[in-house]
Amino acid sequence: MPINEMGVEKSVGSPYCIKDYTAVDPEYGTLSDLRTLVERAHALNMGVILDWVPNHTSWDHAWIREHKDWYTQDEEGNIVAPNEAWTDVADLNFDSAEMQRAMIDAMKYWIYEANIDGFRCDAADKVPASFWREAIGELKHMQQTRTVLMLAEGTSLENLKAGFDMDYAWDYLARIKEVYSGKGAVSSLFVSHQTEYRTVPAGKRKLRFITNHDEAAENSPFFLYGGERGAVSAFVLTTCIGGNPLIYSTQEVGYEGKVSFFQPTAVDWGQKSYLADEYRKIIEVCSEYPAFAQGDIQYFSHTQVAAFYKLYERQEAFVLVNTANSRTQVSIDKNMRTEAWTEVFTQKSEQLDDVIFMEPYEYRIWVRR
């Protein structure tokens, strides 16, 4: 969630209601606290990106008093909300070059002052690509040695062309929810994957996820995917099919409740440590083998098992994921049985059988190189 100071006027408690682009909300701490967080993350070889809200501000943002022309207005000169649902915020006017300059300067502030590594840009499709082109160009060239990651919460191809590194795989999310509810064909996942990547510029990625802050506010993965094992299998499938995986906090401890971003949620982070370990192993495997994120894909037809082969340079991977809460069997293509594979979790060499039996929501992953 954004860490900026939240507005009060017309507020509904959403952290996407920004009162000050260059202030930390006291609920989260201070600028010094953020610097400490970033320093410790960097020591662990991790990056920290901030959730940025460029499309609108709170109604008590100083810009409203000082620069009314920086906001969209109706025929009577009244500042308006972006839409009927977002009445707690005021819509920014991107026809204003001065506002754009102030926005870019505010983004630079966090890189200078807190040494952050990039931004997740909220509602990126609502902002002109011309602004993103200028902003990202400046952010990525602030220092020669600095890497700035830019993630667009959107699906417009223009965002990626403007310089974003990643955007959201919304269509894939819709398909996998259908599959695990029994309303969609497993093959639709591969069609979605290939369709989403068909126009993606070289070097750009799709962010793949089974939940996020919007989804978790409605239902936890536990209920969306048929329980704990179903949620894990959906994550494995989503991570291995290609793109960059997202873990939304509470997912890795199997939290069964909803997580509203309008109010705090108490979570016992010590529960289900075995599940967090399993997520960790899955991520380690996919980090070690680039074939999962980047490889060319070939899928094999099955009514409930996602069966697919991936190739990247000389690295191969073969994945089976049962998407249903029932036992089944899979006939293995003869081309997958010509040489032995290494099972990624046990590191044992295996020659695949003609038929493999799969337990409910079971997943199997093999590699060779």
Side-chain angles (χ1 to χ4, degrees):
M1 301 299 102
I3 64 162
N4 300 105
E5 182 180 359
M6 289 186 284
V8 176
E9 185 178 344
K10 299 185 183 182
S11 173
V12 293
S14 170
Y16 291 89
C17 178
I18 306 301
K19 182 179 180 180
D20 189 337
Y21 280 117
T22 57
V24 175
D25 193 284
E27 179 181 358
Y28 303 128
T30 65
L31 177 60
S32 178
D33 294 328
L34 176 61
R35 287 172 174 161
T36 299
L37 171 68
V38 173
E39 286 174 6
R40 293 182 180 178
H42 288 174
L44 295 169
N45 198 30
M46 297 170 65
V48 176
I49 67 174
L50 296 186
D51 199 346
W52 193 255
V53 189
N55 184 65
H56 43 263
T57 74
S58 71
W59 290 96
D60 47 3
H61 195 293
W63 287 359
I64 286 186
R65 299 189 307 273
E66 300 166 0
H67 305 285
K68 185 179 178 181
D69 59 313
W70 289 10
Y71 290 84
T72 306
Q73 302 173 37
D74 62 18
E75 294 178 355
E76 298 177 353
N78 300 309
I79 296 174
V80 299
N83 54 53
E84 293 181 358
W86 296 355
T87 57
D88 62 323
V89 290
D91 193 56
L92 284 166
N93 174 21
F94 276 83
D95 289 336
S96 170
E98 290 183 345
M99 188 280 292
Q100 291 192 38
R101 182 70 263 155
M103 179 73 68
I104 295 172
D105 288 345
M107 298 177 83
K108 285 183 173 181
Y109 169 87
W110 295 101
I111 294 177
Y112 283 128
E113 296 298 325
N115 201 26
I116 66 157
D117 304 286
F119 297 93
R120 176 266 190 199
C121 296
D122 179 66
D125 291 354
K126 296 181 179 296
V127 174
S130 57
F131 167 78
W132 290 129
R133 190 172 295 108
E134 181 176 353
I136 295 172
E138 290 191 29
L139 293 171
K140 285 184 175 287
H141 292 90
M142 287 175 64
Q143 294 175 326
Q144 274 192 332
T145 58
R146 177 182 291 279
T147 298
V148 176
L149 176 69
M150 298 297 293
L151 166 62
E153 191 217 10
T155 58
S156 172
L157 179 60
E158 295 305 309
N159 291 333
L160 297 179
K161 290 180 178 178
F164 277 102
D165 302 292
M166 268 189 286
D167 68 0
Y168 276 47
W170 285 115
D171 183 74
Y172 178 88
L173 174 66
R175 301 290 84 76
I176 196 166
K177 289 197 297 184
E178 290 175 351
V179 169
Y180 274 79
S181 68
K183 298 177 182 178
V186 172
S187 60
S188 69
L189 298 173
F190 301 101
V191 172
S192 177
H193 168 73
Q194 292 172 324
T195 300
E196 286 185 326
Y197 264 96
R198 188 167 294 135
T199 56
V200 171
K204 310 292 186 176
R205 303 281 186 85
K206 304 296 289 189
L207 184 71
R208 288 275 163 75
F209 50 95
I210 63 170
T211 188
N212 61 17
H213 68 290
D214 291 314
E215 294 295 315
E218 299 295 327
N219 263 312
S220 77
F222 186 93
F223 291 101
L224 285 175
Y225 303 101
E228 180 182 296
R229 298 319 305 164
V232 174
S233 73
F235 178 73
V236 169
L237 172 51
T238 301
T239 300
C240 292
I241 201 170
N244 280 65
L246 164 73
I247 295 178
Y248 182 67
S249 292
T250 69
Q251 180 182 340
E252 73 275 37
V253 293
Y255 186 71
E256 298 180 21
K258 297 179 182 180
V259 183
S260 172
F261 56 86
F262 294 98
Q263 58 193 22
T265 298
V267 177
D268 179 3
W269 296 104
Q271 68 177 349
K272 298 184 179 179
S273 59
Y274 66 88
L275 191 58
D277 288 341
E278 187 173 10
Y279 270 91
R280 186 177 296 108
K281 289 176 182 177
I282 294 164
I283 290 295
E284 286 174 352
V285 165
C286 291
S287 298
E288 183 178 354
Y289 299 97
F292 294 114
Q294 304 178 58
D296 295 327
I297 192 169
Q298 175 186 359
Y299 69 92
F300 305 97
S301 179
H302 193 277
T303 55
Q304 72 183 62
V305 174
F308 55 101
Y309 166 82
K310 302 205 72 177
L311 174 65
Y312 179 73
E313 295 179 347
R314 299 187 62 176
Q315 187 181 104
E316 300 172 273
F318 184 52
V319 181
L320 299 177
V321 180
N322 189 355
T323 66
N325 191 23
S326 59
R327 196 169 189 261
T328 189
Q329 64 183 49
V330 187
S331 296
I332 304 302
D333 186 274
K334 64 180 181 180
N335 292 327
M336 299 296 105
R337 295 184 274 114
T338 55
E339 298 178 40
W341 293 84
T342 299
E343 204 281 331
V344 295
F345 298 110
T346 64
Q347 289 298 302
K348 291 182 178 179
S349 179
E350 298 181 3
Q351 191 78 37
L352 301 186
D353 296 328
D354 294 359
V355 174
I356 293 179
F357 290 91
M358 301 285 292
E359 297 300 323
Y361 298 129
E362 183 183 8
Y363 60 89
R364 304 286 303 277
I365 305 174
W366 298 270
V367 293
R368 62 188 177 195
R369 54 187 171 187

